[in-house]
Amino acid sequence: VFGLSSVAQVVLGRGDLGQHLSINLGFGIGVTLGIHAAGGISGAHLNAAITLTHCLLGNLPWRKLPAYLIGQFLGSFTAAATVFGLYYDALYDYTKGNFTVTGPTATASIFSTYPAPYVSLLGGFFTEFMATVMLLLGILIIHDEKNNGALKGTQALLTGILVLGIGLGMGMNTGYAINPSRDLPPRVFTAIAGWGMDVFTAGHHWWWVPLTAPILGSLAGVLIHKLFIDFHNQPVPESGNEKGQPVVETS
């Protein structure tokens, strides 16, 4: 809701009520609050790519995957419907009732991501892949207690800042979906709500890229963290050691 409504305000306000930074801040705030809301209940699985990665690594039972994906889909779909209702009058005024995916009054990008006109399909795929690599690396580093993990209670805020940073640096090409469950459900909603099947054919059938690239980027991020950080982490000192005494282990 925070993310999509910030896009709506920038687009429908014709740049007078926000800029690119507004969108990045909106998504960062939304992620932070989402983690606080669901962190203690389910681990705050807001991203299907990360959920699938945890299943592949054995950190999450496969039997829980359908429930997580359904929850993510319903949450994102409901958010799109909420923002549509919130800004329906503004949408109608901006488009004169003609909801389009492309053109001077295109509004489908309020809800889902589409590549910039100059971006090739391969370039867009690589952008989403790398942005998700950085997302996973950042999340793993923030929660890495064996290394220099974040202070307890600050993880949600830092993850929101991480998403803000990705948007600030890697949002120009594709709008940084970095999350299948952030992109597909609103796309389905727009197809139903008046934009039609163009939402699946625009951008050289772009819709499948935000589904696959984040999954591959998530797996690559975990691999990079394992190879270059986790394997080199020092063991956590035992609680019985006195403060200031070095812990020596032999292998």
Side-chain angles (χ1 to χ4, degrees):
V1 170
F2 279 100
L4 299 186
S5 60
S6 66
V7 183
Q9 185 160 294
V10 170
V11 172
L12 302 178
R14 294 175 170 84
D16 295 331
L17 299 173
Q19 301 293 332
H20 183 63
L21 178 60
S22 308
I23 298 171
N24 298 323
L25 286 170
F27 277 104
I29 292 169
V31 167
T32 299
L33 294 176
I35 293 172
H36 275 297
I41 307 300
S42 65
H45 280 249
L46 311 179
N47 189 324
I50 297 178
T51 301
L52 180 59
T53 298
H54 277 296
C55 289
L56 290 170
L57 294 175
N59 299 330
L60 183 72
W62 283 97
R63 60 182 173 79
K64 291 188 177 183
L65 180 63
Y68 277 80
L69 295 184
I70 291 171
Q72 292 162 7
F73 188 101
L74 291 177
S76 191
F77 187 92
T78 305
T82 301
V83 172
F84 178 78
L86 184 68
Y87 280 110
Y88 179 78
D89 292 335
L91 273 166
Y92 198 91
D93 177 71
Y94 183 83
T95 64
K96 307 306 178 189
N98 183 26
F99 298 161
T100 58
V101 179
T102 58
T105 59
T107 47
S109 60
I110 290 174
F111 301 92
S112 295
T113 63
Y114 295 87
Y118 59 83
V119 176
S120 67
L121 200 60
L122 180 60
F125 191 98
F126 183 66
T127 299
E128 287 294 327
F129 173 84
M130 280 307 306
T132 314
V133 167
M134 299 312 296
L135 175 68
L136 258 291
L137 279 174
I139 290 173
L140 292 172
I141 290 167
I142 289 169
H143 291 85
D144 191 351
E145 295 182 356
K146 292 188 294 182
N147 189 7
N148 190 24
L151 295 175
K152 185 177 180 180
T154 65
Q155 293 92 340
L157 175 61
L158 289 174
T159 305
I161 294 173
L162 169 63
V163 172
L164 168 63
I166 291 172
L168 289 174
M170 289 172 271
M172 185 174 75
N173 286 344
T174 63
Y176 72 111
I178 61 175
N179 181 357
S181 45
R182 167 263 180 274
D183 194 82
L184 180 61
R187 196 178 300 274
V188 173
F189 173 81
T190 51
I192 299 170
W195 283 265
M197 296 306 292
D198 286 350
V199 299
F200 292 103
T201 58
H204 304 289
H205 295 81
W206 167 257
W207 70 273
W208 64 271
V209 175
L211 298 185
T212 56
I215 293 173
L216 296 176
S218 178
L219 293 171
V222 171
L223 178 61
I224 293 171
H225 180 265
K226 282 287 184 184
L227 290 177
F228 295 102
I229 297 178
D230 193 44
F231 287 159
H232 309 282
N233 271 335
Q234 297 298 315
V236 179
E238 296 180 4
S239 58
N241 289 295
E242 295 181 4
K243 183 179 180 181
Q245 295 296 319
V247 177
V248 180
E249 288 194 7
T250 58
S251 59

